[in-house]
Amino acid sequence: MHRSLTVCVLCVFMLLTACGRSLPTRYFLLESPHTPMNVDSLPPTNLRLAQVSVPEYLDRNGIVSRKKGSTELIVSQFHVWAEPVAKGVRRLLQEGLSAPLLAANINVLAPGDDASAEYALFVDVQRLDGNFHDEAVLEIRWTLKNNSNAILDKGIYADREAVPGDTYDILIAAESRMLNRMVAHLAQRLPAMFQKNHASRR
């Protein structure tokens, strides 16, 4: 009886000890392949990146994935964003559009720069999540406006990327690649709209 009691006490102690320790929280950033630029002077025409909109299910610290074959969402407790998703997407836009648009004589304003801008780009993320051992999905709507709030161009961008594993490193890498392809798409499309707008004002 005494031995059984001792074993029970030890089991309870081990369970309490295990419950007292939690997994270490891991923090993730969306990754950009672009390096910082050195520019001696900037063109006078500016593009402002408006605040990126994200759906409510993404507006949280925990990284969101989907249960395969289901509409159920999984919000991780120990794998979290190091910055809000909206700020991460805006950062990738800033880093990815700066050099291509500079070549088109357009300066992409840094966040917080209150200089006046002839153009504004609005990005609305509709979906950004994925299933482990399956794929990640990106859906966004974007709108380009001038300083009179007139719409110059708009579109929908959708993409999918394989997630060949069950770790958050793989999932975030897939989401980063999709977002960077979206930025590259805009970097190719926007200069033509700027040229068209300049030509119409002459």
Side-chain angles (χ1 to χ4, degrees), residues 63-65 129-132 136 163 167-175:
I63 295 173
V64 177
S65 60
D129 55 61
N131 302 324
F132 294 117
V163 181
T167 68
Y168 284 89
D169 304 77
I170 295 174
L171 176 62
I172 302 309
E175 293 180 353

Side-chain angles (χ1 to χ4, degrees), residues 76-120:
S76 177
Q77 181 179 357
F78 299 110
H79 301 82
V80 302
W81 294 111
E83 63 184 347
V85 174
K87 286 188 176 180
V89 174
R90 195 179 185 202
R91 175 174 54 80
L92 264 60
L93 285 163
Q94 171 77 38
E95 295 173 5
L97 291 178
S98 291
L101 295 192
L102 191 62
N105 210 32
I106 302 290
N107 172 42
V108 180
L109 295 176
D113 190 335
D114 59 357
S116 60
E118 289 76 8
Y119 304 100

Side-chain angles (χ1 to χ4, degrees), residues 99-173:
L101 295 192
L102 191 62
N105 210 32
I106 302 290
N107 172 42
V108 180
L109 295 176
D113 190 335
D114 59 357
S116 60
E118 289 76 8
Y119 304 100
L121 179 64
F122 298 81
V123 171
D124 181 10
V125 178
Q126 305 280 300
R127 181 176 173 186
L128 179 63
D129 55 61
N131 302 324
F132 294 117
H133 292 297
D134 191 7
E135 65 179 8
V137 177
L138 169 68
E139 295 177 9
I140 70 118
R141 291 176 179 266
W142 60 270
T143 305
L144 178 67
K145 296 183 178 182
N146 62 17
N147 54 7
S148 299
N149 208 36
I151 296 176
L152 302 178
D153 199 8
K154 59 183 177 180
I156 299 174
Y157 183 91
D159 199 357
R160 294 175 181 271
E161 174 81 17
V163 181
D166 60 357
T167 68
Y168 284 89
D169 304 77
I170 295 174
L171 176 62
I172 302 309

Side-chain angles (χ1 to χ4, degrees), residues 96-101 104 121 142 144 153 157 180-195:
L97 291 178
S98 291
L101 295 192
L121 179 64
W142 60 270
L144 178 67
D153 199 8
Y157 183 91
N180 284 303
R181 286 198 294 267
M182 178 269 294
V183 174
H185 168 76
L186 291 176
Q188 287 186 330
R189 174 138 182 179
L190 294 181
M193 293 309 305
F194 296 139
Q195 293 174 2

Side-chain angles (χ1 to χ4, degrees), residues 38-55:
N38 290 318
V39 181
D40 293 327
S41 61
L42 294 170
T45 305
N46 295 324
L47 169 70
R48 177 176 63 88
L49 298 177
Q51 294 288 340
V52 173
S53 300
V54 299

